[in-house]
């Protein structure tokens, strides 16, 4: 299934996209694409519904983040061998963990706001993993059974805040609109191999990132298992698993976002995001 949330900010409704590309309203079956609705049992009930029996959503509503009420927005740094190389950093022995504030979450096509004092706002297309059930001390072999689905994430980053303003990376990762998620939560049964997904990102029509989850240093199962040794993961938690090469910081000369820029990014089977960049 391709689950989504549509409507105004803060008033999104649950829906799904059918095979013809129509949005179908799920409000009569689930309150939101969040929490307990992400369990295997709940998703099985939704999967049993004939999409043709659901009301069609007319027009072109705003698409919100594909999961609501996110408790934790966890990110993995330097998780692509080729991205670590362009950053001039060694591959880590264990996954590098940092957090984005959940207030950074936005819809996949919402405007991206450049922070007022930003000088180095950057882009990162990433595979997002949405947890579907309580996860603690899970083995690598069982880790993927705890996934509700996958999505596209743009892990926007202000590099000056991140690297030169002291403290943890969270400073450079958490500006409002710096966490577009979606358009869809694609349930795990539709993703045959999360380690074989082509992904790309373009700015103003120029393709900067053209990679694949094949080059992940730590695969999705390893990341989930590792995280679960240090904290429990809850339904609706989002894990952003790292980015391939081609970020602005890695260009020569370095290239950063500015108001008026247009981004497009996507992952095969998981949809496309399109964002206009505006002043914050």
């Amino acid at each position: 299934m391709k689950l989504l949330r549509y409507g105004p900010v803060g008033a999104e409704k649950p829906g799904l996209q059918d095979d013809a590309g129509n949005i179908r309203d799920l409000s009569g079956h689930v309150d939101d694409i969040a929490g307990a609705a992400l369990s295997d049992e709940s998703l099985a009930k939704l999967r049993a519904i004939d999409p043709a029996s659901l009301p069609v959503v007319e027009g072109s509503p705003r698409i919100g983040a594909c999961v609501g009420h996110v408790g934790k927005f966890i990110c993995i740094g330097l998780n692509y061998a080729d991205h670590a190389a362009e950053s001039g950093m060694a591959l880590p022995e264990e996954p590098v963990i940092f957090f984005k504030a959940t207030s950074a979450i936005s819809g996949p096509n919402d405007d991206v706001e450049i922070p007022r004092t930003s000088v180095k706002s950057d882009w990162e297309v990433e595979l997002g993993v949405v947890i579907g059930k309580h996860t603690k001390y899970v083995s690598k072999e069982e880790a993927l059974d705890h996934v509700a689905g996958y999505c596209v994430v743009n892990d926007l980053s202000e590099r000056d805040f991140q690297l030169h303003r002291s403290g943890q990376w969270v400073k450079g990762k958490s500006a409002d609109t710096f966490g577009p998620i979606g358009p869809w939560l694609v349930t795990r049964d539709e993703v045959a191999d999360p380690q074989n997904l082509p992904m790309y990102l373009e700015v103003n029509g120029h393709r900067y990132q053209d990679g694949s989850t094949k080059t992940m240093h730590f695969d999705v199962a390893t990341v989930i298992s590792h995280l679960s040794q240090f904290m429990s993961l809850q339904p609706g938690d989002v894990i952003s698993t790292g980015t391939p090469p081609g970020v602005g910081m890695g260009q020569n000369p370095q290239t950063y976002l500015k108001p008026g820029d247009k981004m497009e990014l996507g992952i095969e089977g998981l949809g496309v995001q399109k964002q206009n960049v505006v002043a914050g």
Side-chain angles (χ1 to χ4, degrees), residues 16-126:
L16 63 78
Q17 180 164 292
D18 67 19
D19 291 341
N22 299 307
I23 296 175
R24 300 278 182 164
D25 181 28
L26 278 172
S27 297
H29 298 271
V30 66
D31 292 334
D32 200 354
I33 308 300
L38 299 171
S39 70
D40 288 347
E41 295 77 15
S42 176
L43 294 178
K45 290 178 181 177
L46 296 181
R47 197 173 291 114
I49 300 169
D50 179 2
S53 69
L54 299 169
V56 173
V57 177
E58 302 293 346
S60 301
R62 170 187 171 270
I63 304 300
C66 60
V67 59
H69 308 291
V70 176
K72 294 192 287 295
F73 195 172
I74 310 167
C75 300
I76 307 300
L78 298 173
N79 197 32
Y80 282 68
D82 34 12
H83 173 55
E86 77 168 347
S87 301
M89 299 181 184
L91 284 169
E93 294 183 6
E94 291 189 0
V96 173
I97 302 169
F98 62 94
F99 288 81
K100 290 174 85 82
T102 55
S103 54
I105 293 173
S106 58
N109 305 316
D110 291 346
D111 290 346
V112 166
E113 300 176 6
I114 301 297
R116 290 181 181 179
T117 58
S118 168
V119 292
K120 295 182 178 180
S121 287
D122 206 346
W123 56 81
E124 297 188 8
V125 60
E126 305 203 0

Side-chain angles (χ1 to χ4, degrees), residues 115-121 158-173 175 178:
R116 290 181 181 179
T117 58
S118 168
V119 292
K120 295 182 178 180
S121 287
E158 212 297 337
R159 302 301 187 188
D160 187 57
F161 298 177
Q162 176 188 356
L163 301 173
H164 303 128
R165 296 292 295 273
S166 299
Q168 300 181 351
W169 287 2
V170 66
K171 280 186 181 178
K173 297 286 188 172
F178 266 31

